[in-house]
Amino acid sequence: MLLAAMLVSFISLAQNRLIINADQGDVRINKHIYGHFAEHLGRSIYGGIWVGPDSDVPNEDGYRKDVMQALINLEIPNLRWPGGCFADEYHWTDGIGDPAERPKMVNTHWGGVIEDNSFGTHEFMNFAKKIGTEPYITGNVGSGSVVEMSKWIEYINFDGVSPMAELRKRNGQAEPWGIKYWGVGNESWGCGGNMTPEYYANEYRRYATYARDYGGNTLYKIAGGANNWDYNWTEVLMKNIPLEMMDGISLHYYTVAGTWENKGKATEFNKEEFLETLRKAALIDELIKRHGTIMDKYDPEKRIGMIIDEWGTWFQVEPGTNPGFLYQQNTMRDAHVAAISLNIFNKNADRVHMANLAQTVNVLQAVILTNDTDMILTPTYHVFDLYKPHKDATLLSHDLKSEEVGFGKEKMEALNVSTSRSADGTVNISIANINPDKKIDLDVVLRGIDAKTVTAEYITAPAINSHNTFENKEVVKKAAFKDFKLNKDNLKISVPANAILMVRVK
Protein backbone atom coordinates (compact mmCIF):
# COMPACT_ATOMS: atom_id res chain seq x y z
CA MET A 1 0.00 0.00 0.00
CA LEU A 2 2.82 2.37 0.89
CA LEU A 3 4.59 1.61 -2.38
CA ALA A 4 1.37 2.22 -4.32
CA ALA A 5 0.85 5.55 -2.56
CA MET A 6 4.41 6.58 -3.34
CA LEU A 7 3.92 5.62 -7.00
CA VAL A 8 0.70 7.67 -7.21
CA SER A 9 2.52 10.61 -5.63
CA PHE A 10 5.38 10.28 -8.14
CA ILE A 11 2.98 10.17 -11.08
CA SER A 12 1.20 13.25 -9.74
CA LEU A 13 4.46 15.15 -9.48
CA ALA A 14 5.37 14.18 -13.02
CA GLN A 15 2.25 15.74 -14.49
CA ASN A 16 2.21 19.14 -16.18
CA ARG A 17 1.55 21.40 -13.23
CA LEU A 18 1.34 25.13 -12.59
CA ILE A 19 1.27 26.47 -9.02
CA ILE A 20 0.21 30.13 -8.78
CA ASN A 21 0.66 32.22 -5.64
CA ALA A 22 -2.15 34.68 -6.25
CA ASP A 23 -1.54 36.61 -3.03
CA GLN A 24 2.17 37.19 -3.66
CA GLY A 25 3.76 39.80 -5.88
CA ASP A 26 4.79 43.44 -5.73
CA VAL A 27 6.18 44.12 -9.23
CA ARG A 28 3.89 45.90 -11.68
CA ILE A 29 3.96 44.81 -15.32
CA ASN A 30 4.32 48.16 -17.02
CA LYS A 31 1.71 48.53 -19.76
CA HIS A 32 4.43 50.05 -21.96
CA ILE A 33 5.92 46.56 -22.39
CA TYR A 34 3.10 46.18 -24.94
CA GLY A 35 4.28 49.08 -27.11
CA HIS A 36 4.60 49.30 -30.89
CA PHE A 37 6.83 50.86 -33.52
CA ALA A 38 6.10 52.66 -36.82
CA GLU A 39 9.05 53.64 -39.00
CA HIS A 40 9.23 55.41 -42.34
CA LEU A 41 9.97 52.07 -43.97
CA GLY A 42 8.14 50.42 -46.85
CA ARG A 43 4.37 50.67 -46.43
CA SER A 44 4.42 51.17 -42.67
CA ILE A 45 3.46 54.86 -42.71
CA TYR A 46 2.46 55.55 -46.31
CA GLY A 47 -0.34 53.18 -47.30
CA GLY A 48 -0.40 51.57 -43.87
CA ILE A 49 -1.30 54.40 -41.51
CA TRP A 50 -1.40 57.47 -43.74
CA VAL A 51 -3.12 57.78 -47.13
CA GLY A 52 -3.78 61.53 -47.10
CA PRO A 53 -7.14 63.31 -46.82
CA ASP A 54 -7.78 63.15 -50.59
CA SER A 55 -7.41 59.36 -50.83
CA ASP A 56 -10.22 57.08 -52.00
CA VAL A 57 -9.33 54.80 -49.08
CA PRO A 58 -11.75 55.55 -46.22
CA ASN A 59 -9.84 57.91 -43.95
CA GLU A 60 -10.19 60.43 -41.17
CA ASP A 61 -8.00 63.47 -41.75
CA GLY A 62 -5.72 61.31 -43.89
CA TYR A 63 -5.43 58.34 -41.50
CA ARG A 64 -6.79 54.98 -42.62
CA LYS A 65 -9.99 54.38 -40.68
CA ASP A 66 -9.63 50.59 -40.60
CA VAL A 67 -6.08 50.64 -39.25
CA MET A 68 -6.89 53.40 -36.79
CA GLN A 69 -9.86 51.49 -35.36
CA ALA A 70 -7.86 48.25 -35.10
CA LEU A 71 -5.17 50.02 -33.07
CA ILE A 72 -7.78 51.68 -30.87
CA ASN A 73 -9.25 48.24 -30.18
CA LEU A 74 -5.79 46.91 -29.31
CA GLU A 75 -5.27 49.69 -26.75
CA ILE A 76 -1.61 50.14 -27.61
CA PRO A 77 0.13 52.05 -24.81
CA ASN A 78 2.84 53.78 -26.87
CA LEU A 79 4.02 54.16 -30.44
CA ARG A 80 7.67 54.72 -31.40
CA TRP A 81 8.46 56.97 -34.41
CA PRO A 82 10.06 57.90 -36.89
CA GLY A 83 12.63 55.07 -36.61
CA GLY A 84 14.70 52.99 -36.49
CA CYS A 85 17.50 53.70 -38.87
CA PHE A 86 15.36 56.35 -40.54
CA ALA A 87 15.43 58.45 -37.35
CA ASP A 88 19.11 59.25 -37.81
CA GLU A 89 18.61 60.72 -41.27
CA TYR A 90 15.34 62.47 -40.46
CA HIS A 91 15.33 66.25 -40.07
CA TRP A 92 12.14 67.26 -38.36
CA THR A 93 11.81 70.73 -39.89
CA ASP A 94 11.32 69.04 -43.28
CA GLY A 95 8.07 67.58 -41.93
CA ILE A 96 6.23 70.68 -40.69
CA GLY A 97 4.29 73.47 -42.40
CA ASP A 98 2.31 73.27 -45.63
CA PRO A 99 2.66 69.69 -46.96
CA ALA A 100 2.84 71.01 -50.52
CA GLU A 101 5.96 72.97 -49.65
CA ARG A 102 7.79 70.33 -47.65
CA PRO A 103 11.08 69.19 -49.20
CA LYS A 104 11.44 65.66 -50.51
CA MET A 105 14.31 63.35 -49.60
CA VAL A 106 15.61 59.90 -50.50
CA ASN A 107 15.04 57.22 -47.89
CA THR A 108 18.53 55.75 -48.25
CA HIS A 109 18.07 53.07 -45.62
CA TRP A 110 14.86 51.52 -46.91
CA GLY A 111 14.49 50.95 -50.61
CA GLY A 112 15.85 54.24 -51.92
CA VAL A 113 12.33 55.60 -52.35
CA ILE A 114 11.30 59.25 -52.25
CA GLU A 115 10.08 60.45 -48.86
CA ASP A 116 7.77 63.44 -49.35
CA ASN A 117 7.54 64.30 -45.64
CA SER A 118 3.75 64.57 -45.78
CA PHE A 119 3.67 62.61 -42.51
CA GLY A 120 5.61 64.69 -40.00
CA THR A 121 5.47 65.80 -36.38
CA HIS A 122 1.90 67.15 -36.44
CA GLU A 123 0.59 64.12 -38.31
CA PHE A 124 2.29 61.71 -35.89
CA MET A 125 1.26 63.52 -32.73
CA ASN A 126 -2.32 63.85 -33.95
CA PHE A 127 -2.41 60.16 -34.84
CA ALA A 128 -1.18 59.21 -31.38
CA LYS A 129 -3.97 61.31 -29.89
CA LYS A 130 -6.62 59.77 -32.14
CA ILE A 131 -5.70 56.20 -31.19
CA GLY A 132 -5.19 57.04 -27.51
CA THR A 133 -1.52 56.15 -27.24
CA GLU A 134 1.57 57.87 -25.85
CA PRO A 135 4.04 59.07 -28.48
CA TYR A 136 7.68 57.97 -28.27
CA ILE A 137 10.01 59.92 -30.56
CA THR A 138 13.58 58.96 -31.42
CA GLY A 139 15.75 62.00 -32.17
CA ASN A 140 18.51 62.27 -34.77
CA VAL A 141 22.01 61.87 -33.34
CA GLY A 142 23.67 60.20 -36.33
CA SER A 143 23.32 63.04 -38.87
CA GLY A 144 21.68 65.70 -36.75
CA SER A 145 22.89 68.18 -34.20
CA VAL A 146 22.31 69.12 -30.59
CA VAL A 147 20.54 72.31 -31.60
CA GLU A 148 18.25 70.46 -34.02
CA MET A 149 17.10 68.00 -31.36
CA SER A 150 16.82 70.71 -28.70
CA LYS A 151 14.60 72.84 -30.95
CA TRP A 152 12.42 69.84 -31.82
CA ILE A 153 11.71 69.22 -28.13
CA GLU A 154 11.04 72.94 -27.64
CA TYR A 155 8.68 72.90 -30.64
CA ILE A 156 6.73 69.98 -29.20
CA ASN A 157 6.73 70.82 -25.48
CA PHE A 158 7.37 74.50 -24.74
CA ASP A 159 4.32 76.27 -23.29
CA GLY A 160 5.65 79.84 -23.24
CA VAL A 161 6.86 82.39 -25.75
CA SER A 162 9.78 81.24 -27.88
CA PRO A 163 10.66 81.00 -31.56
CA MET A 164 9.84 77.29 -31.71
CA ALA A 165 6.59 77.64 -29.77
CA GLU A 166 5.51 80.47 -32.06
CA LEU A 167 6.37 78.37 -35.11
CA ARG A 168 4.27 75.51 -33.75
CA LYS A 169 1.34 77.87 -33.24
CA ARG A 170 1.65 79.25 -36.80
CA ASN A 171 1.51 75.64 -38.00
CA GLY A 172 -1.82 75.10 -36.27
CA GLN A 173 -0.98 73.68 -32.84
CA ALA A 174 -1.61 76.25 -30.13
CA GLU A 175 -0.99 74.05 -27.09
CA PRO A 176 2.17 72.00 -26.55
CA TRP A 177 1.76 68.26 -26.87
CA GLY A 178 3.74 67.42 -23.74
CA ILE A 179 5.60 64.37 -25.01
CA LYS A 180 7.27 62.20 -22.35
CA TYR A 181 9.28 59.45 -24.06
CA TRP A 182 12.36 60.57 -25.99
CA GLY A 183 15.08 58.43 -27.53
CA VAL A 184 18.51 59.99 -27.98
CA GLY A 185 19.56 58.33 -31.23
CA ASN A 186 19.01 54.82 -32.54
CA GLU A 187 21.48 51.98 -33.03
CA SER A 188 24.43 54.31 -32.73
CA TRP A 189 26.67 51.24 -32.94
CA GLY A 190 25.41 50.71 -36.53
CA CYS A 191 23.10 52.63 -38.84
CA GLY A 192 22.92 55.49 -36.35
CA GLY A 193 26.57 56.49 -36.80
CA ASN A 194 28.85 53.45 -36.37
CA MET A 195 30.07 54.88 -33.09
CA THR A 196 32.07 53.29 -30.31
CA PRO A 197 30.27 53.05 -26.96
CA GLU A 198 32.70 55.53 -25.44
CA TYR A 199 32.04 58.08 -28.19
CA TYR A 200 28.26 57.59 -28.03
CA ALA A 201 28.25 57.94 -24.22
CA ASN A 202 29.90 61.35 -24.57
CA GLU A 203 27.51 62.36 -27.35
CA TYR A 204 24.54 61.23 -25.28
CA ARG A 205 25.64 63.41 -22.37
CA ARG A 206 25.86 66.41 -24.71
CA TYR A 207 22.50 65.83 -26.42
CA ALA A 208 20.70 64.95 -23.19
CA THR A 209 21.94 68.15 -21.54
CA TYR A 210 19.91 70.20 -24.03
CA ALA A 211 16.89 67.89 -24.05
CA ARG A 212 15.06 70.26 -21.70
CA ASP A 213 11.97 69.82 -19.55
CA TYR A 214 9.29 72.41 -20.26
CA GLY A 215 6.05 73.46 -18.57
CA GLY A 216 6.19 70.92 -15.78
CA ASN A 217 6.67 68.10 -18.29
CA THR A 218 9.58 65.74 -17.50
CA LEU A 219 11.19 63.90 -20.38
CA TYR A 220 11.91 60.20 -20.00
CA LYS A 221 15.26 60.05 -21.80
CA ILE A 222 16.28 56.77 -23.40
CA ALA A 223 19.91 56.10 -24.31
CA GLY A 224 20.64 54.06 -27.44
CA GLY A 225 21.69 50.72 -26.01
CA ALA A 226 23.16 47.45 -27.19
CA ASN A 227 22.49 45.05 -30.00
CA ASN A 228 22.01 41.44 -28.91
CA TRP A 229 25.01 40.19 -26.96
CA ASP A 230 27.10 43.37 -26.92
CA TYR A 231 27.48 43.49 -23.15
CA ASN A 232 30.42 45.89 -23.38
CA TRP A 233 28.13 48.56 -24.87
CA THR A 234 25.85 48.34 -21.84
CA GLU A 235 28.80 48.38 -19.45
CA VAL A 236 30.34 51.50 -21.00
CA LEU A 237 27.06 53.43 -21.09
CA MET A 238 26.13 52.55 -17.52
CA LYS A 239 29.62 53.51 -16.36
CA ASN A 240 30.12 56.69 -18.38
CA ILE A 241 26.66 58.29 -18.38
CA PRO A 242 25.57 59.80 -15.03
CA LEU A 243 22.46 57.89 -13.97
CA GLU A 244 20.54 61.11 -13.34
CA MET A 245 20.91 61.95 -17.05
CA MET A 246 18.98 58.94 -18.36
CA ASP A 247 15.80 57.05 -17.52
CA GLY A 248 16.13 54.10 -19.87
CA ILE A 249 18.62 52.23 -22.01
CA SER A 250 17.50 50.35 -25.09
CA LEU A 251 18.17 46.79 -26.24
CA HIS A 252 17.45 45.40 -29.71
CA TYR A 253 16.92 41.71 -30.49
CA TYR A 254 15.44 40.11 -33.58
CA THR A 255 14.51 36.46 -33.99
CA VAL A 256 15.87 35.06 -37.25
CA ALA A 257 14.98 31.52 -38.29
CA GLY A 258 18.22 30.87 -40.17
CA THR A 259 21.14 33.26 -40.53
CA TRP A 260 21.23 36.97 -41.38
CA GLU A 261 22.29 35.98 -44.89
CA ASN A 262 19.49 33.41 -45.23
CA LYS A 263 16.69 34.33 -42.85
CA GLY A 264 14.21 31.70 -44.01
CA LYS A 265 10.74 32.13 -45.41
CA ALA A 266 7.85 33.50 -43.39
CA THR A 267 5.32 30.83 -44.36
CA GLU A 268 7.39 27.87 -45.57
CA PHE A 269 9.10 25.94 -42.78
CA ASN A 270 9.02 22.55 -41.09
CA LYS A 271 8.50 21.53 -37.47
CA GLU A 272 12.21 21.64 -36.65
CA GLU A 273 12.56 25.15 -38.10
CA PHE A 274 9.43 26.18 -36.20
CA LEU A 275 10.81 25.02 -32.86
CA GLU A 276 14.31 26.36 -33.57
CA THR A 277 12.79 29.79 -34.18
CA LEU A 278 10.99 29.62 -30.84
CA ARG A 279 14.18 28.51 -29.10
CA LYS A 280 15.93 31.58 -30.50
CA ALA A 281 13.06 33.83 -29.42
CA ALA A 282 13.40 32.54 -25.86
CA LEU A 283 17.06 33.62 -25.78
CA ILE A 284 15.85 37.13 -24.99
CA ASP A 285 15.50 35.91 -21.40
CA GLU A 286 19.26 35.31 -21.18
CA LEU A 287 19.98 38.69 -22.78
CA ILE A 288 17.74 40.50 -20.29
CA LYS A 289 19.40 38.76 -17.36
CA ARG A 290 22.97 39.37 -18.50
CA HIS A 291 22.46 42.98 -19.55
CA GLY A 292 20.40 43.41 -16.40
CA THR A 293 23.24 42.11 -14.22
CA ILE A 294 25.49 44.82 -15.64
CA MET A 295 22.83 47.45 -15.02
CA ASP A 296 22.34 46.18 -11.46
CA LYS A 297 25.99 46.88 -10.71
CA TYR A 298 25.44 50.60 -11.31
CA ASP A 299 21.70 50.83 -10.63
CA PRO A 300 20.75 48.30 -7.92
CA GLU A 301 17.45 50.08 -7.34
CA LYS A 302 16.47 49.33 -10.96
CA ARG A 303 15.42 52.91 -11.64
CA ILE A 304 16.83 52.81 -15.16
CA GLY A 305 14.45 50.92 -17.39
CA MET A 306 15.55 48.35 -19.94
CA ILE A 307 13.73 49.46 -23.09
CA ILE A 308 13.49 46.65 -25.66
CA ASP A 309 12.27 49.00 -28.35
CA GLU A 310 12.91 46.71 -31.30
CA TRP A 311 12.05 43.02 -31.14
CA GLY A 312 10.28 40.42 -33.26
CA THR A 313 10.80 38.07 -36.18
CA TRP A 314 12.78 38.92 -39.30
CA PHE A 315 12.33 36.65 -42.33
CA GLN A 316 12.84 36.95 -46.07
CA VAL A 317 10.48 39.41 -47.74
CA GLU A 318 7.48 38.10 -49.63
CA PRO A 319 8.20 37.21 -53.27
CA GLY A 320 7.75 40.11 -55.66
CA THR A 321 8.03 42.82 -53.00
CA ASN A 322 10.74 45.46 -52.61
CA PRO A 323 13.57 43.91 -50.52
CA GLY A 324 13.97 47.24 -48.74
CA PHE A 325 10.33 47.25 -47.58
CA LEU A 326 10.69 44.25 -45.20
CA TYR A 327 7.15 43.03 -45.90
CA GLN A 328 6.55 39.52 -44.54
CA GLN A 329 3.55 37.34 -43.78
CA ASN A 330 2.66 36.41 -40.22
CA THR A 331 1.83 32.88 -39.05
CA MET A 332 1.17 30.93 -35.86
CA ARG A 333 4.95 30.76 -35.51
CA ASP A 334 5.01 34.55 -35.15
CA ALA A 335 2.17 34.31 -32.63
CA HIS A 336 4.22 31.92 -30.49
CA VAL A 337 7.26 34.21 -30.73
CA ALA A 338 5.08 37.07 -29.49
CA ALA A 339 3.61 34.99 -26.65
CA ILE A 340 6.99 33.70 -25.47
CA SER A 341 8.60 37.15 -25.70
CA LEU A 342 5.80 38.91 -23.83
CA ASN A 343 5.79 36.22 -21.13
CA ILE A 344 9.53 36.79 -20.69
CA PHE A 345 9.16 40.58 -20.59
CA ASN A 346 6.49 40.18 -17.92
CA LYS A 347 8.75 37.89 -15.88
CA ASN A 348 11.48 40.55 -15.95
CA ALA A 349 9.16 43.51 -15.34
CA ASP A 350 11.30 44.78 -12.48
CA ARG A 351 13.90 45.79 -15.09
CA VAL A 352 12.00 45.79 -18.42
CA HIS A 353 9.92 48.98 -18.41
CA MET A 354 9.02 49.20 -22.10
CA ALA A 355 9.16 47.14 -25.29
CA ASN A 356 8.18 47.89 -28.89
CA LEU A 357 7.29 45.23 -31.42
CA ALA A 358 8.80 45.78 -34.87
CA GLN A 359 6.61 46.86 -36.51
CA THR A 360 2.97 47.93 -36.42
CA VAL A 361 1.79 47.80 -40.05
CA ASN A 362 3.20 46.00 -43.13
CA VAL A 363 6.78 45.65 -41.83
CA LEU A 364 8.46 42.63 -40.18
CA GLN A 365 6.27 41.08 -37.44
CA ALA A 366 3.34 43.37 -38.11
CA VAL A 367 0.06 43.21 -36.25
CA ILE A 368 -1.75 44.57 -39.33
CA LEU A 369 -1.26 44.00 -43.06
CA THR A 370 -2.90 46.21 -45.68
CA ASN A 371 -3.32 46.50 -49.41
CA ASP A 372 -4.77 49.44 -51.31
CA THR A 373 -8.30 48.89 -50.04
CA ASP A 374 -8.34 46.21 -47.36
CA MET A 375 -6.77 45.16 -44.06
CA ILE A 376 -6.12 41.92 -42.18
CA LEU A 377 -5.28 41.28 -38.54
CA THR A 378 -2.35 38.91 -38.10
CA PRO A 379 -1.96 36.13 -35.51
CA THR A 380 0.42 38.43 -33.66
CA TYR A 381 -2.36 41.02 -33.36
CA HIS A 382 -4.53 38.45 -31.62
CA VAL A 383 -1.77 37.62 -29.11
CA PHE A 384 -1.54 41.28 -28.12
CA ASP A 385 -5.33 41.34 -27.87
CA LEU A 386 -5.35 38.25 -25.64
CA TYR A 387 -2.61 39.65 -23.39
CA LYS A 388 -4.33 42.97 -22.62
CA PRO A 389 -5.20 41.92 -19.03
CA HIS A 390 -1.48 41.76 -18.15
CA LYS A 391 -1.05 45.52 -18.70
CA ASP A 392 -0.32 47.29 -15.40
CA ALA A 393 -1.23 44.10 -13.51
CA THR A 394 0.87 42.75 -10.61
CA LEU A 395 3.31 40.03 -11.59
CA LEU A 396 2.58 36.82 -9.67
CA SER A 397 5.09 34.18 -8.67
CA HIS A 398 4.43 30.73 -10.07
CA ASP A 399 6.09 27.36 -10.45
CA LEU A 400 5.65 25.49 -13.73
CA LYS A 401 6.45 21.89 -14.44
CA SER A 402 6.08 21.14 -18.14
CA GLU A 403 6.79 18.24 -20.40
CA GLU A 404 9.29 18.86 -23.16
CA VAL A 405 9.10 18.84 -26.93
CA GLY A 406 12.21 17.74 -28.79
CA PHE A 407 13.70 18.62 -32.16
CA GLY A 408 17.09 17.48 -33.39
CA LYS A 409 19.38 17.56 -30.37
CA GLU A 410 17.38 20.32 -28.70
CA LYS A 411 14.53 20.23 -26.19
CA MET A 412 12.22 22.94 -24.90
CA GLU A 413 9.44 23.06 -22.37
CA ALA A 414 6.22 22.70 -24.32
CA LEU A 415 4.36 25.15 -22.12
CA ASN A 416 5.33 28.79 -21.65
CA VAL A 417 3.42 30.79 -19.04
CA SER A 418 2.98 34.20 -17.43
CA THR A 419 0.74 35.01 -14.46
CA SER A 420 -0.52 38.31 -13.08
CA ARG A 421 -3.23 39.83 -10.89
CA SER A 422 -5.40 42.71 -12.10
CA ALA A 423 -6.48 45.56 -9.82
CA ASP A 424 -9.88 43.90 -9.25
CA GLY A 425 -8.20 40.69 -8.05
CA THR A 426 -8.63 38.68 -11.25
CA VAL A 427 -5.76 36.27 -11.89
CA ASN A 428 -4.55 36.27 -15.49
CA ILE A 429 -2.80 33.19 -16.91
CA SER A 430 -1.29 33.34 -20.40
CA ILE A 431 -0.27 29.94 -21.74
CA ALA A 432 1.45 28.97 -24.97
CA ASN A 433 1.62 25.30 -26.01
CA ILE A 434 4.36 25.18 -28.62
CA ASN A 435 3.94 21.45 -29.27
CA PRO A 436 2.28 21.46 -32.70
CA ASP A 437 1.03 17.88 -32.38
CA LYS A 438 -0.13 17.29 -28.82
CA LYS A 439 -2.80 18.59 -26.49
CA ILE A 440 -1.46 18.98 -22.95
CA ASP A 441 -3.51 18.51 -19.79
CA LEU A 442 -2.37 21.09 -17.26
CA ASP A 443 -3.16 21.02 -13.53
CA VAL A 444 -3.26 24.53 -12.07
CA VAL A 445 -3.07 24.91 -8.30
CA LEU A 446 -4.49 28.27 -7.18
CA ARG A 447 -3.11 29.55 -3.90
CA GLY A 448 -4.25 32.73 -2.21
CA ILE A 449 -7.51 33.14 -4.11
CA ASP A 450 -11.03 31.86 -3.48
CA ALA A 451 -11.77 31.10 -7.11
CA LYS A 452 -15.39 31.24 -8.21
CA THR A 453 -15.41 31.83 -11.96
CA VAL A 454 -13.18 31.14 -14.96
CA THR A 455 -13.29 32.65 -18.43
CA ALA A 456 -10.84 32.04 -21.26
CA GLU A 457 -10.03 32.94 -24.86
CA TYR A 458 -7.49 31.48 -27.24
CA ILE A 459 -6.07 31.28 -30.71
CA THR A 460 -5.09 28.09 -32.48
CA ALA A 461 -4.85 26.78 -36.02
CA PRO A 462 -4.49 23.42 -37.77
CA ALA A 463 -0.93 24.13 -38.94
CA ILE A 464 2.13 25.94 -37.60
CA ASN A 465 2.26 28.05 -40.78
CA SER A 466 -1.45 28.96 -40.72
CA HIS A 467 -1.96 32.63 -41.51
CA ASN A 468 -4.61 35.12 -42.53
CA THR A 469 -4.88 36.39 -46.10
CA PHE A 470 -6.96 39.01 -47.85
CA GLU A 471 -8.98 36.15 -49.32
CA ASN A 472 -9.43 34.37 -45.96
CA LYS A 473 -9.05 36.77 -43.05
CA GLU A 474 -10.01 34.47 -40.17
CA VAL A 475 -7.89 31.36 -40.50
CA VAL A 476 -6.41 32.47 -37.16
CA LYS A 477 -8.76 34.39 -34.89
CA LYS A 478 -9.56 34.82 -31.23
CA ALA A 479 -12.29 32.60 -29.85
CA ALA A 480 -13.88 31.60 -26.54
CA PHE A 481 -12.23 28.64 -24.81
CA LYS A 482 -14.20 26.21 -22.64
CA ASP A 483 -12.04 23.11 -22.12
CA PHE A 484 -11.34 23.63 -18.42
CA LYS A 485 -12.80 22.57 -15.08
CA LEU A 486 -12.57 24.43 -11.76
CA ASN A 487 -12.81 22.49 -8.49
CA LYS A 488 -12.08 24.72 -5.50
CA ASP A 489 -8.37 25.58 -5.73
CA ASN A 490 -7.67 23.24 -8.63
CA LEU A 491 -8.13 24.21 -12.27
CA LYS A 492 -7.69 21.63 -14.99
CA ILE A 493 -7.02 22.99 -18.46
CA SER A 494 -6.72 20.94 -21.65
CA VAL A 495 -4.35 23.15 -23.62
CA PRO A 496 -4.74 22.47 -27.36
CA ALA A 497 -1.72 21.81 -29.55
CA ASN A 498 -0.27 24.89 -31.27
CA ALA A 499 -2.36 27.24 -29.14
CA ILE A 500 -2.09 30.40 -27.04
CA LEU A 501 -4.56 31.02 -24.22
CA MET A 502 -5.55 33.74 -21.79
CA VAL A 503 -7.33 32.27 -18.78
CA ARG A 504 -8.88 34.61 -16.20
CA VAL A 505 -9.83 33.39 -12.72
CA LYS A 506 -11.84 35.40 -10.21
Side-chain angles (χ1 to χ4, degrees):
M1 291 291 291
L2 179 61
L3 181 61
M6 291 174 64
L7 182 60
V8 169
S9 176
F10 176 80
I11 292 172
S12 177
L13 288 172
Q15 291 175 340
N16 297 288
R17 172 165 291 194
L18 174 65
I19 300 173
I20 302 174
N21 300 301
D23 56 351
Q24 297 180 18
D26 54 12
V27 173
R28 180 177 65 91
I29 299 172
N30 195 317
K31 67 180 181 180
H32 288 293
I33 283 174
Y34 292 81
H36 293 263
F37 172 31
E39 183 170 8
H40 287 243
L41 193 173
R43 296 187 297 111
S44 169
I45 300 295
Y46 301 110
I49 290 171
W50 178 257
V51 291
D54 298 327
S55 173
D56 292 335
V57 178
N59 70 86
E60 181 180 309
D61 300 327
Y63 309 103
R64 285 186 67 134
K65 283 187 175 181
D66 51 1
V67 171
M68 192 162 61
Q69 188 59 54
L71 294 178
I72 290 171
N73 294 344
L74 203 56
E75 300 172 8
I76 71 173
N78 70 78
L79 183 63
R80 182 175 181 243
W81 175 86
C85 292
F86 182 80
D88 281 295
E89 67 174 359
Y90 180 66
H91 300 285
W92 69 272
T93 53
D94 292 346
I96 59 173
D98 184 350
E101 297 180 1
R102 296 178 189 178
K104 295 178 172 59
M105 62 175 284
V106 179
N107 189 334
T108 60
H109 284 294
W110 305 119
V113 297
I114 298 300
E115 162 68 52
D116 69 3
N117 283 304
S118 59
F119 190 95
T121 301
H122 289 252
E123 289 76 20
F124 171 66
M125 298 300 290
N126 292 340
F127 181 67
K129 182 178 180 180
K130 283 178 179 290
I131 65 173
T133 194
E134 284 206 54
Y136 166 20
I137 285 181
T138 300
N140 182 348
V141 171
S143 69
S145 67
V146 172
V147 69
E148 180 183 32
M149 186 182 293
S150 177
K151 286 185 174 181
W152 197 5
I153 295 169
E154 180 186 333
Y155 184 88
I156 292 172
N157 279 358
F158 191 61
D159 60 345
V161 177
S162 78
M164 291 301 101
E166 293 305 308
L167 179 59
R168 182 192 68 234
K169 293 173 184 177
R170 289 199 300 273
N171 287 330
Q173 180 67 27
E175 298 299 320
W177 285 288
I179 193 171
K180 177 179 180 180
Y181 295 102
W182 194 272
V184 181
N186 169 76
E187 295 190 356
S188 298
W189 39 262
C191 65
N194 285 300
M195 303 175 193
T196 64
E198 291 82 5
Y199 183 84
Y200 172 74
N202 286 337
E203 285 292 275
Y204 175 89
R205 292 167 66 136
R206 197 163 65 96
Y207 276 77
T209 297
Y210 297 96
R212 306 290 193 188
D213 295 331
Y214 294 113
N217 181 75
T218 301
L219 286 178
Y220 185 102
K221 300 172 190 176
I222 300 168
N227 183 39
N228 297 339
W229 293 273
D230 188 352
Y231 302 114
N232 180 60
W233 189 279
T234 300
E235 180 83 43
V236 171
L237 266 57
M238 291 299 296
K239 179 181 179 181
N240 291 2
I241 298 174
L243 296 187
E244 66 272 14
M245 292 189 72
M246 66 176 172
D247 301 287
I249 182 170
S250 68
L251 173 66
H252 290 179
Y253 179 69
Y254 285 98
T255 299
V256 178
T259 64
W260 277 105
E261 294 72 28
N262 182 16
K263 298 181 180 69
K265 296 182 178 180
T267 59
E268 297 178 19
F269 51 88
N270 58 33
K271 177 181 176 181
E272 184 166 331
E273 291 168 326
F274 166 77
L275 292 170
E276 172 63 9
T277 304
L278 302 189
R279 183 192 70 81
K280 287 183 173 181
L283 291 176
I284 189 65
D285 195 25
E286 175 189 346
L287 291 178
I288 292 170
K289 285 182 169 59
R290 294 186 66 178
H291 284 285
T293 298
I294 296 168
M295 295 174 71
D296 288 345
K297 183 166 65 172
Y298 300 93
D299 176 37
E301 301 300 318
K302 299 184 188 293
R303 188 190 71 81
I304 307 299
M306 184 181 293
I307 311 297
I308 307 173
D309 55 15
E310 289 190 32
W311 68 273
T313 58
W314 194 322
F315 304 124
Q316 295 173 17
V317 302
E318 293 303 304
T321 64
N322 187 324
F325 282 13
L326 306 188
Y327 178 81
Q328 63 189 44
Q329 251 292 357
N330 196 289
T331 70
M332 279 298 296
R333 176 172 65 170
D334 296 270
H336 283 290
V337 168
I340 290 169
S341 300
L342 292 170
N343 286 346
I344 290 170
F345 299 161
N346 289 352
K347 182 176 76 171
N348 294 283
D350 59 340
R351 179 59 82 181
V352 178
H353 296 180
M354 180 190 286
N356 300 80
L357 176 70
Q359 292 189 22
T360 311
V361 188
N362 290 331
V363 173
L364 297 175
Q365 193 176 343
V367 294
I368 297 169
L369 300 177
T370 70
N371 60 21
D372 290 341
T373 58
D374 209 353
M375 175 196 78
I376 56 177
L377 305 178
T378 69
T380 298
Y381 179 99
H382 295 301
V383 173
F384 273 82
D385 196 18
L386 285 173
Y387 275 47
K388 283 192 288 190
H390 281 314
K391 295 176 185 176
D392 281 339
T394 299
L395 181 68
L396 295 179
S397 67
H398 68 257
D399 182 67
L400 173 67
K401 183 176 181 62
S402 170
E403 64 185 67
E404 295 181 324
V405 56
F407 58 103
K409 296 181 180 180
E410 301 284 349
K411 288 184 178 180
M412 290 179 66
E413 288 190 339
L415 298 178
N416 191 285
V417 170
S418 181
T419 57
S420 70
R421 183 182 65 247
S422 296
D424 67 355
T426 302
V427 172
N428 313 303
I429 313 167
S430 53
I431 309 168
N433 178 7
I434 68 171
N435 191 322
D437 306 314
K438 182 183 178 184
K439 178 184 75 172
I440 295 178
D441 293 322
L442 176 64
D443 270 349
V444 181
V445 179
L446 300 163
R447 295 177 177 170
I449 181 175
D450 184 17
K452 301 294 185 184
T453 62
V454 180
T455 58
E457 294 180 303
Y458 77 130
I459 62 170
T460 190
I464 53 180
N465 68 341
S466 293
H467 56 280
N468 297 331
T469 67
F470 292 101
E471 295 73 34
N472 193 345
K473 297 182 180 181
E474 296 190 337
V475 175
V476 182
K477 62 179 181 180
K478 189 175 71 170
F481 179 77
K482 299 291 187 181
D483 201 357
F484 57 79
K485 185 176 181 180
L486 177 65
N487 182 15
K488 297 182 179 178
D489 65 350
N490 182 256
L491 175 62
K492 295 185 181 296
I493 307 172
S494 293
V495 185
N498 188 31
I500 299 160
L501 286 66
M502 173 58 77
V503 181
R504 307 198 72 200
V505 183
K506 191 172 183 181

